[in-house]
């Protein structure tokens, strides 16, 4: 596991009316602070990534569909420099993945329909000076291939 990445297994509570799933609480061990909450979507087979942040910590949950979330640690001082983590998260594997600053991350829609991802970062988005740094998803500088792995 990449240094600083944390995982919270989410509990789904179903009843005859539907279901409830808590994602992040102020009394959770991995809660840092509240910045904002936003939703993003990804279509099947589309890659959104790579990017990283210098200040914010992301807290990703896929609430509809399935995504392949990939993390790469380029941090020189990190004991896990050069490591990759791959997570399949969504309706059938409800997890919250906490991503620390400077860890590159991206995701790909792997289901047959649009997937919905909720993020609760620790810092609100700054439209004047965004804390978001993008890298081409097919860069050769990161040892990862976004293609489907059959076998």
């Amino acid at each position: 596991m990449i240094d600083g990445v944390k995982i919270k297994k989410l509990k789904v509570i179903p009843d005859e009316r539907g279901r409830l799933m808590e994602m992040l609480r102020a009394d959770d061990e991995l809660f840092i602070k509240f910045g904002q909450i936003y939703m993003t979507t990804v279509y099947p087979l589309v890659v959104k990534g790579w990017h990283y942040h210098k200040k914010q910590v992301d807290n990703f949950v896929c609430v509809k569909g399935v995504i392949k979330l990939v993390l790469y640690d380029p941090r020189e001082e990190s004991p896990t420099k050069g490591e990759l983590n791959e997570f399949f998260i969504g309706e059938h594997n409800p997890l919250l993945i906490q991503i620390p600053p400077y860890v590159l991350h991206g995701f790909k829609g792997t289901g047959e329909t649009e997937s919905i991802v909720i993020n609760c970062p620790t810092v609100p988005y700054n439209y004047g000076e965004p804390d978001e740094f993008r890298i081409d998803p097919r860069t050769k500088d990161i040892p990862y291939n976004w293609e489907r792995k059959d076998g």
Side-chain angles (χ1 to χ4, degrees), residues 61-121:
V61 176
C62 180
V63 296
K64 179 183 179 291
V66 179
I67 65 166
K68 174 171 59 171
L69 174 63
V70 184
L71 314 180
Y72 176 70
D73 188 356
R75 301 170 296 174
E76 289 297 328
E77 75 289 349
S78 173
T80 54
K81 181 184 182 329
E83 284 191 27
L84 285 158
N85 292 156
E86 187 178 71
F87 304 96
F88 290 87
I89 64 173
E91 293 173 83
H92 302 291
N93 189 28
L95 299 173
L96 179 146
I97 308 294
Q98 187 174 79
I99 307 164
Y102 291 96
V103 171
L104 286 153
H105 50 288
F107 56 93
K108 178 180 179 179
T110 60
E112 294 182 3
T113 61
E114 178 181 39
S115 294
I116 299 174
V117 176
I118 305 295
N119 186 18
C120 182

Side-chain angles (χ1 to χ4, degrees), residues 18-35:
R19 58 189 166 135
L20 176 135
M21 181 177 71
E22 290 181 347
M23 293 181 273
L24 184 63
R25 300 167 44 106
D27 59 356
D28 277 344
E29 180 182 316
L30 51 72
F31 179 77
I32 299 168
K33 69 177 187 172
F34 176 78

